Amino acid sequence: MANTYNWVIALLECAPKQGDKTNVVTTIHWRRQATDGKGHNGDVFGQQNIALDPNAPFTPYDQLTKAQVEGWLTSAMGASAIAALDAALDKQIADQITPPVSTPALPW
């Protein structure tokens, strides 16, 4: 079974006012999590700055959806950055399954 990945949006930073708009999201604080469905999990976190797109319709803060914010995040980060995150998560899970270092009991 392949690993599954999930975004967790932890916090949104906003500019109180930008032009005639209020509470404009400027930074997304995120976590990217993965699981193999067998009890092994990976987790990375970070933040992504985003800019208001003057050509896109503006959604008031209290009407934002998780899917919309995830769309901004994935668009701003780009596919290669997300692939690199997923590879790091895959490695975390692989290292749980087959640890790269062991600490056996001392032989005496």
Side-chain angles (χ1 to χ4, degrees):
M1 183 168 134
N3 294 336
T4 56
Y5 308 93
N6 181 50
W7 289 112
V8 176
I9 306 302
L11 179 75
L12 299 175
E13 290 182 25
C14 297
K17 192 152 180 65
Q18 216 173 66
D20 63 343
K21 313 286 192 272
T22 58
N23 289 329
V24 177
V25 177
T26 58
T27 307
I28 302 169
H29 293 259
W30 54 265
R31 298 183 83 84
R32 182 97 166 139
Q33 299 176 328
T35 184
D36 69 354
K38 299 175 187 172
H40 305 104
N41 303 296
D43 191 358
V44 293
F45 63 93
Q47 65 184 39
Q48 178 65 49
N49 294 330
I50 60 169
L52 177 63
D53 181 351
N55 299 317
F58 181 77
T59 304
Y61 185 84
D62 63 352
Q63 295 174 26
L64 292 174
T65 65
K66 182 176 187 254
Q68 184 176 13
V69 174
E70 286 176 357
W72 295 343
L73 180 58
T74 59
S75 180
M77 291 182 81
S80 62
I82 294 169
L85 290 175
D86 290 351
L89 291 167
D90 292 343
K91 180 162 178 10
Q92 286 181 24
I93 290 172
D95 287 350
Q96 290 172 33
I97 296 168
T98 309
V101 175
S102 66
T103 55
L106 295 173
W108 58 85

